[in-house]
Amino acid sequence: SPKTWQEARLGSNPCQGKIAYVYRVDTGTANAFKALLEGKGFTVQLVPMPTVLATDFTQFDLVIIADDTGDLSQWPMGTAGVSPEANHIRSANKPMLGIGEGGYAYFGKHGQAIGWPNGWHGPLDRVVPRNTGQSYWHTPTDFGSPPPSPQQLFTGPVNEVGIYLKAVTGVIELGTEPSDADHAPLIAEREECSQLWGFSGRPPAMTVAGRNLFVNAVVYGLASQCPQRPTPPDDCVVLEKSADPPAGTLVSVGAVITYKLKYTVKNDPACALARAVLEDKIPDRTLFVPGSATDGIVPGADRVLRWNVGPLAPGASGLKQFKVSVADSICNGQRTVVNQARLVTSLGVFASNVVTHPVDCPPVVPAGNEPPYAEDEIQIYPYPLITGRPTDVSVRIRNLSSMTETVRVTFESSPNNFGIGIPFGTLPAAGNPRVVTLPPFGIVEVKINWTPVKSGHYCIRVKIESPGRPAIFTYRNLDVMEDLRPGVTDTLTFSVGNPTAAVATVNLVVDNTCPGWVASVSPAQLLNMAPGEVRSATLSVIPPTDRPLGTACHIDVQGWIGDVLIGGIRKLDVPPVHLPPANPPWMEREIILIPDPPVLNQPGQLCIELQNPMPTPRVVNVEFRVAAFGAGIGFTPVGSLNNLTLPPNSIGQYCINWTPTPVSGGSLHRCIQVRLSQAGFRDQFSQRNVDVRRLSVGSLNELLKLNIPFTIGNPNDYTVPMDINKILIGLTPRVRPRITPDPPPELMAGQTIDFMLGFEMVPGAEVAAAGALAEDDFALGYGDTARVEVALVLDGEEVGGFSVELENHRLYLPAVRKP
């Protein structure tokens, strides 16, 4: 039995043994785990990722893979394909304990059942104990027989990976999600002497029970016997990928690519495969065509198709295929569709050749990254829409060419307001449509002001027309009037139309990214719809009961006619009263200042505009915080509004008194943050910068002399790689932003650095006449906004930023997203 083996392996004291803890940058969490385990009697050696290949892992009794080491198919972080580091660790044949996303990615690199792509991700703090006879629940801390259920492991929800049990074999589930017994964040593979602790939280965030159970997990791993793994011939499996159109063919947005996968096992007894799973991830910036995969399978939570094709005898072969549609967002990325498959077997992982298709993008495209029916480049305020309330609608578009481009931009909506495949007409608003000029490789923003005739759901479409080219369309179609309750079915009825000129059947497909949620659409198929016909369908969702709502995950319904996407809708997990999203996320218009701009040492007010779209009152709490201007800087509370009751179907401003005072260094800029809390939902945050002293800029010469101070800080307790991204919107291409001093490649724990943002001429664009710059050069703007966006990137993730906006020869600085 496991306990008998453990006693034989470890003796009377189970808390002994030498442990390697492999991590990438998070020294704070690494030291916290080291302190926890060494406090119990273990010996722990921290192994930074750069030293992995030089470390002899045979000297250890157990290897822990940290959460920060990888993500999904990447291990180490940012590494695709073969991983020498992962292979080196595995070759030591020692028990493994993977933590969170890093452990999930590591095990996935080896094709293990407890690794990528066999899980989903979401916030969770507790589990239901399973297989409670295992020593996992009894040594050295005995949780009882049976242990209490559910077992709370963290003081609040942290990121969790849950392995989908119906997709894997040979596992021992040790703890499952309370609302979904088919997903297990605590799970082991005894034959692989591996286990996953699927929570990403560090020890200080654990409960006493959580810390004790983690120690139990370590002891459980130390008791494992690792089998000897056979080394198969290198050519045991040939996995060939082909495509129609063939690899290398130029494809357009909306094109359908058919992938074919042929696998062949070498006719050699040593190549017999007891287990074989064919995996293929849907390429980034593409959409899976429903019903196109062999055997009728669909992608899992991580957009991966999985065919269980084993066992396979020597000489066996097979063929699978599927289709994808190229999304327009690929034009804002690498503009190439890339795909590779792998066969995960009992003898190892065998990869296919890489197939690529360059994408023929039009010169002007929407500047967004979401699916074509929920584009983030379209911004609306206020949102949800209110009958008779003037509403700002904007779209961001990008010029991919080296030439100036002129396009016609039309904002549209539908009489049906909300749905899939419905007809559109021009919004009745001044300045709609608009003719817009874009500079070479530039981004512009186009705005209108429109008054909706009814409240609630709308689908907004933007049509972009260039002379001699087909029109381009981008949509925003969100369900934003939510009254979600745990365990209670929520329904949304929407319109579905046939936008084609022929009788057609519309297939409705649900894409659920919300862990623990149940989602379905009825009917799933609308048969024989006449051209222009509109019918109704209903999306039903049931939120989970084991975690707070308000995670901003989404559930999409896509409409397809054959291989063509005709539209979609998106339901968001947001509270009934929520802060509308902004792009960029630090330009939050719902934060209002009185007076605007505020005056140093003069009493004023900080306000938040809140909308309650529900027919019943809602109670919320609001906290206002202030920080010095910058990114990664801590905020100080300056006031709150507690138990604030919002009337039904209302929108209003709610304020506190505030007097701006000087800060260290004399900066006159501030960052305002608002935290919105309501029972049963995660807190929401909104931010905006305040320029206490606005600067007047009336010429290009003045712009080039401008210097704006800002501060960058690292709120983490460990050193992180740093980058600062700069994006120009609507400004003359003759200038570019300049940051001094040059940002360092890393920020140390708690470090802050002061910078200056300025502008300079692009080399080669200087005016020849002794450097003189005409006063009207500054007016050479494009679109309705001229600004530069500055984003702070720490460890590859955008964590904050601010915008410098020039409008009517005035300078505005609207905000930083989070500390």
Side-chain angles (χ1 to χ4, degrees), residues 579 591 608 622-624 672-676 684-686:
L579 303 172
I591 297 177
I608 184 76
V622 178
E623 182 182 59
F624 294 87
I672 309 299
Q673 182 188 75
V674 172
R675 182 174 71 178
L676 177 65
Q684 297 180 80
F685 293 88
S686 177

Side-chain angles (χ1 to χ4, degrees), residues 389-456:
R389 172 74 178 252
T391 300
D392 288 334
V393 184
S394 67
V395 65
R396 185 182 295 192
I397 56 179
R398 181 192 302 270
N399 182 5
L400 302 177
S401 77
S402 60
M403 305 293 291
T404 298
E405 295 284 341
T406 300
V407 298
R408 176 185 170 99
V409 177
T410 306
F411 294 87
E412 302 177 322
S413 190
S414 169
N416 290 294
N417 294 95
F418 185 74
I420 296 172
I422 54 180
F424 287 84
T426 302
L427 285 175
N432 186 36
R434 299 277 299 280
V435 175
V436 182
T437 299
L438 294 90
F441 303 114
I443 300 174
V444 305
E445 191 170 277
V446 185
K447 301 179 180 180
I448 64 168
N449 187 268
W450 161 65
T451 302
V453 296
K454 63 178 295 186
S455 301

Side-chain angles (χ1 to χ4, degrees), residues 346-705:
S346 51
L347 296 182
V349 179
F350 299 88
S352 76
N353 53 303
V354 178
V355 172
T356 61
H357 289 85
V359 180
D360 181 18
C361 293
V364 178
V365 298
N369 297 299
E370 293 295 324
Y373 49 83
E375 295 284 16
D376 55 355
E377 74 271 12
I378 299 176
Q379 293 291 299
I380 301 169
Y381 190 86
Y383 201 50
L385 301 173
I386 303 170
T387 304
R389 172 74 178 252
T391 300
D392 288 334
V393 184
S394 67
V395 65
R396 185 182 295 192
I397 56 179
R398 181 192 302 270
N399 182 5
L400 302 177
S401 77
S402 60
M403 305 293 291
T404 298
E405 295 284 341
T406 300
V407 298
R408 176 185 170 99
V409 177
T410 306
F411 294 87
E412 302 177 322
S413 190
S414 169
N416 290 294
N417 294 95
F418 185 74
I420 296 172
I422 54 180
F424 287 84
T426 302
L427 285 175
N432 186 36
R434 299 277 299 280
V435 175
V436 182
T437 299
L438 294 90
F441 303 114
I443 300 174
V444 305
E445 191 170 277
V446 185
K447 301 179 180 180
I448 64 168
N449 187 268
W450 161 65
T451 302
V453 296
K454 63 178 295 186
S455 301
H457 308 302
Y458 267 89
C459 180
I460 302 297
R461 183 172 82 171
V462 178
K463 178 168 61 175
I464 304 169
E465 299 171 284
S466 302
R469 301 187 182 98
I472 300 170
F473 298 94
T474 179
Y475 304 76
R476 182 164 178 185
N477 205 353
L478 299 182
D479 170 33
V480 293
M481 296 178 62
E482 305 288 8
D483 190 15
L484 300 170
R485 287 165 289 175
V488 177
T489 301
D490 178 89
T491 59
L492 169 69
T493 299
F494 56 95
S495 300
V496 181
N498 174 11
T500 72
V503 174
T505 293
V506 178
N507 294 304
L508 299 177
V509 179
V510 175
D511 178 18
N512 182 4
T513 71
C514 295
W517 290 58
V518 177
S520 62
V521 64
S522 179
Q525 193 173 62
L526 300 172
L527 299 171
N528 301 320
M529 293 187 67
E533 181 183 357
V534 177
R535 301 183 192 173
S536 294
T538 300
L539 170 66
S540 299
V541 302
I542 305 175
T545 58
D546 63 345
R547 63 196 78 197
L549 303 182
T551 64
C553 67
H554 64 263
I555 297 173
D556 292 353
V557 179
Q558 300 172 355
W560 294 80
I561 295 180
D563 295 348
V564 178
L565 178 75
I566 63 168
I569 64 169
R570 172 164 289 183
K571 174 178 279 290
L572 293 171
D573 173 20
V574 294
V577 178
H578 63 274
L579 303 172
N583 185 13
W586 51 79
M587 292 182 66
E588 301 285 6
R589 296 183 53 183
E590 64 271 15
I591 297 177
I592 300 165
L593 297 112
I594 303 175
D596 187 2
V599 180
L600 198 64
N601 295 318
Q602 177 176 312
Q605 289 185 310
L606 290 179
C607 305
I608 184 76
E609 185 172 73
L610 298 176
Q611 182 180 171
N612 175 17
M614 297 293 115
T616 57
R618 308 296 303 193
V619 177
V620 301
N621 295 313
V622 178
E623 182 182 59
F624 294 87
R625 302 174 177 182
V626 177
F629 182 65
I633 309 300
F635 283 81
T636 301
V638 294
S640 61
L641 299 170
N642 296 320
N643 298 318
L644 184 65
T645 300
L646 308 183
N649 302 116
S650 66
I651 183 169
Q653 294 181 14
Y654 303 89
C655 307
I656 65 165
N657 295 324
W658 176 60
T659 300
T661 56
V663 296
S664 176
S667 172
L668 297 175
H669 307 300
R670 303 290 184 275
C671 296
I672 309 299
Q673 182 188 75
V674 172
R675 182 174 71 178
L676 177 65
S677 306
Q678 49 200 304
F681 294 89
R682 303 185 83 182
D683 289 350
Q684 297 180 80
F685 293 88
S686 177
Q687 288 187 214
R688 180 185 167 192
N689 164 260
V690 182
D691 182 15
V692 180
R693 179 194 62 188
R694 283 187 181 161
L695 305 176
S696 176
V697 180
S699 71
L700 186 52
N701 263 324
E702 291 182 23
L703 178 67
L704 296 176
K705 295 176 182 178

Side-chain angles (χ1 to χ4, degrees), residues 803-818:
S803 296
V804 176
E805 185 168 291
L806 299 131
E807 185 174 328
N808 296 327
H809 295 242
R810 303 280 296 201
L811 177 69
Y812 302 86
L813 298 174
V816 166
R817 177 157 57 99
K818 61 184 179 181

